[in-house]
């Protein structure tokens, strides 16, 4: 069993329009809704890959009830979301079918009370002995301490459970000091953390700050991995256009599944890049096109070497 933590869950709504133009009305050609938030997206992809997954975090209000209902209907996913009095946020992605570009609108999320945060920590502690790996994903909702991820990383390490951290800003800065097994920032998040804009230098700095391994997402240029076992670069075969919502989360699912399956780093990275690319090509946030995944997986270029990094 793999555990994904989404403290700021969401209902992801995707609108597709022929062409997005400011200051005009639009006729929507298609609407899709999915349970969302980074860790929920990770869980959905892991389940599609055949892994059993438990999802925890917070859910409340009418939106939270919809998230619960849709998670319950998803094979392979167990729902351990903690109820809150506030209302789970919505995220809205508007896909311009002509340009392929996506405009994203993200609500902030409900305010979490100290009692609700304490209840979540109890659930998390109870789940840790039952899982093989943990992914801590996304932003912190209002009310959750900024050092929350650091505490959750330390709890996982104390339970001898590998932990992946995928967040940004001060939450990442605090969390990395607790020595997560892996972080997966994008290039901007990594530069904000370290002050270095060259990805390799920034990844080296992030490892010095506490991360045991760093996989940096470079957008269309793929992934850069800097670990104690070596340095690798994984590149998709060609650029693609589509809805990028959830693409980074699919990469996290690829990395986490590869860790649990004890795949070598090049295989983990190839899977992560292929899943990320296939998610961009899928019509809805947090899904991936399986045919595209299998095609891209066979053609991902992974270069690098095993070293004492």
């Amino acid at each position: 069993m793999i555990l994904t933590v989404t403290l700021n869950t969401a209902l992801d709504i995707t609108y597709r329009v022929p062409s997005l133009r400011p200051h005009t009305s639009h006729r929507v050609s298609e609407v899709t809704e999915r349970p969302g938030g980074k860790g929920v997206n990770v869980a959905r992809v892991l389940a599609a890959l055949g892994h059993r997954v438990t999802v925890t975090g917070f859910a409340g209000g009418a939106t939270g009830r919809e998230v619960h209902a849709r998670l319950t209907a998803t094979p392979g996913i167990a729902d351990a979301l903690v109820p809150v009095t506030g209302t789970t946020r919505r995220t809205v992605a508007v896909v311009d079918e002509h340009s392929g570009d996506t405009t994203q609108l993200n609500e902030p999320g409900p305010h979490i009370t100290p009692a609700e945060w304490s209840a979540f920590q109890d659930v998390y502690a109870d789940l840790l002995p039952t899982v093989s790996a943990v992914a801590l994903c996304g932003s912190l909702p209002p009310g959750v301490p900024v050092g929350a991820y650091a505490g959750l990383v330390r709890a996982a390490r104390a339970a001898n459970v590998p932990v992946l951290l995928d967040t940004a800003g001060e939450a990442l800065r605090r969390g990395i000091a607790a020595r997560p097994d892996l972080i997966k920032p994008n290039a901007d998040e990594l530069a904000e953390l370290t002050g270095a804009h060259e990805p390799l230098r920034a990844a080296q700095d992030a490892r010095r700050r506490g991360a045991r391994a760093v996989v940096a997402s470079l957008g269309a240029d793929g992934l850069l991995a800097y670990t104690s076992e070596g340095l690798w670069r994984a590149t998709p075969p060609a650029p693609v256009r589509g809805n990028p919502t959830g693409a980074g989360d699919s990469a996290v699912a690829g990395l986490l599944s590869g860790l649990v399956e004890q795949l070598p780093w090049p295989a983990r990275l190839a899977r992560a890049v292929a899943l990320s690319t296939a998610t961009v090509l899928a019509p809805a946030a947090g899904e991936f096109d399986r045919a595209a995944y299998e095609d891209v997986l066979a053609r991902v270029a992974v270069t690098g070497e095993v070293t004492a990094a």
Side-chain angles (χ1 to χ4, degrees):
M1 179 76 74
I2 297 173
L3 177 64
T4 71
V5 174
T6 311
L7 298 178
N8 212 359
T9 54
L11 183 66
D12 287 340
I13 304 168
T14 303
Y15 294 118
R16 301 184 73 87
V17 298
S19 179
L20 182 62
R21 292 173 295 163
H23 315 300
T24 63
S25 297
H26 295 80
R27 190 173 297 276
V28 176
S29 59
E30 183 182 357
V31 182
T32 57
E33 294 185 355
R34 298 286 189 276
K38 293 178 73 64
V40 174
N41 292 336
V42 171
R44 187 183 298 109
V45 175
L46 286 169
L49 293 172
H51 289 273
R52 293 188 304 120
V53 192
T54 295
V55 171
T56 191
F58 298 108
T63 312
R65 288 193 293 274
E66 184 67 17
V67 169
H68 276 300
R70 291 178 178 270
L71 277 179
T72 301
T74 305
I77 295 181
D79 178 355
L81 293 172
V82 176
V84 295
T85 56
T87 299
T88 296
R89 67 189 178 125
R90 295 161 297 180
T91 68
V92 178
V94 183
V95 180
D96 184 323
E97 295 177 328
H98 175 71
S99 68
D101 293 334
T102 299
T103 299
Q104 189 83 15
L105 304 172
N106 296 327
E107 296 178 359
H111 186 276
I112 305 302
T113 68
E116 290 165 346
W117 174 237
S118 179
F120 166 80
Q121 291 176 287
D122 289 342
V123 169
Y124 180 74
D126 288 343
L127 287 169
L128 280 177
T130 70
V131 303
S132 56
V134 175
L136 306 174
C137 302
S139 61
L140 300 177
V144 172
V146 70
Y149 280 137
L152 299 181
V153 169
R154 284 192 289 268
R157 293 197 62 210
N160 293 316
V161 177
V163 56
L164 182 154
L165 178 61
D166 184 17
T167 188
E170 188 62 22
L172 175 59
R173 191 179 307 278
R174 301 280 187 95
I176 198 173
R179 298 187 60 79
D181 293 272
L182 174 63
I183 63 169
K184 197 225 58 77
N186 62 35
D188 290 340
E189 293 163 348
L190 192 57
E192 180 185 9
L193 172 70
T194 66
H197 292 272
E198 197 285 311
L200 177 55
R201 180 175 298 176
Q204 291 169 331
D205 186 279
R207 284 201 67 221
R208 285 193 293 268
R209 290 168 184 258
R212 294 183 174 186
V214 179
V215 176
S217 175
L218 307 179
D221 293 328
L223 299 173
L224 172 72
Y226 186 68
T227 81
S228 61
E229 300 172 38
L231 172 67
W232 292 275
R233 182 78 172 266
T235 309
V240 295
R241 296 173 68 179
N243 181 4
T245 305
D249 306 329
S250 291
V252 168
L255 294 169
L256 200 59
S257 62
L259 183 155
V260 170
E261 296 170 29
Q262 299 183 330
L263 297 180
W265 272 105
R268 297 185 206 181
L269 296 169
R271 178 182 289 179
V273 167
L275 285 169
S276 179
T277 302
T279 298
V280 174
L281 296 171
E287 305 286 350
F288 70 95
D289 184 297
R290 185 167 291 275
Y293 163 64
E294 292 174 354
D295 174 64
V296 174
L297 182 61
R299 299 187 293 125
V300 174
V302 181
T303 57
E305 58 183 341
V306 175
T307 62

